[in-house]
Amino acid sequence: MAHNPVNHPLRPIYRVVGFIAGAYLVVFGIVGLIQTSGDEFTGKSEHLVLGQGGNLLLSIISLAVGAIVLIITAVGRNLDTVGDQYLGYGLLVLGTYGLAFSRTDANVFGQNIATVIVTYLVGLALITVSLYSKVAPAAQAGAPRQVREGRTA
């Protein structure tokens, strides 16, 4: 990932976006556990969780992924760069599965189209955060692009 910016000036904002994405997943997971506690573990649920379809399995997955995102965001040290990237890709896979099987019996996560859209958005947000949150010592980071091109920063 040598082409990704290091020590980006907006890194704190991207970390906040990652924290918000993780917090949303945790809230979705907790509310989903509460609202779908009497339903089946997999399959379509009649309850909506924050306006989205979901079941106990999806709630547990969201809670776990959100907790991991919050922990790695708090730790930082480029652990968030790698973690957000892989978890973002995982959410895109989960959203694609939900899109492909949302109206079939294979919809084990109980997703509807609103859930797929939110899953895609959170996944893309985490991938974007991973692209701009890498840090390195100033000696290893090199000069900013504007300085390398002979312009003022």
Side-chain angles (χ1 to χ4, degrees), residues 97-108:
Y97 180 86
L99 184 63
F101 298 108
S102 66
R103 294 185 180 182
T104 65
D105 291 335
N107 187 7
V108 295

Side-chain angles (χ1 to χ4, degrees), residues 100-145:
F101 298 108
S102 66
R103 294 185 180 182
T104 65
D105 291 335
N107 187 7
V108 295
F109 300 111
Q111 294 176 309
N112 59 15
I113 297 302
T115 311
V116 169
I117 292 170
V118 171
T119 304
Y120 276 151
L121 289 176
V122 173
L124 289 174
L126 288 176
I127 293 170
T128 304
V129 165
S130 75
L131 294 174
Y132 293 100
S133 60
K134 189 171 185 177
V135 294
Q140 295 176 358
R145 180 179 52 87

Side-chain angles (χ1 to χ4, degrees), residues 21-72:
Y24 176 79
L25 289 173
V26 168
V27 168
F28 179 78
I30 291 172
V31 172
L33 285 174
I34 293 169
Q35 288 186 347
T36 62
S37 61
D39 296 343
E40 295 181 21
F41 187 68
T42 61
K44 195 135 175 123
S45 174
E46 295 183 17
H47 296 95
L48 290 179
V49 180
L50 301 178
Q52 305 167 49
N55 57 20
L56 284 174
L57 178 61
L58 184 62
S59 298
I60 292 170
I61 291 172
S62 297
L63 184 61
V65 170
I68 292 170
V69 168
L70 290 178
I71 290 169
I72 63 176

Side-chain angles (χ1 to χ4, degrees), residues 77-99:
R77 298 192 184 114
N78 291 334
L79 180 64
D80 55 344
T81 301
V82 176
D84 287 342
Q85 181 181 19
Y86 287 117
L87 291 172
Y89 290 143
L91 287 174
L92 292 183
V93 169
L94 182 67
T96 303
Y97 180 86
L99 184 63

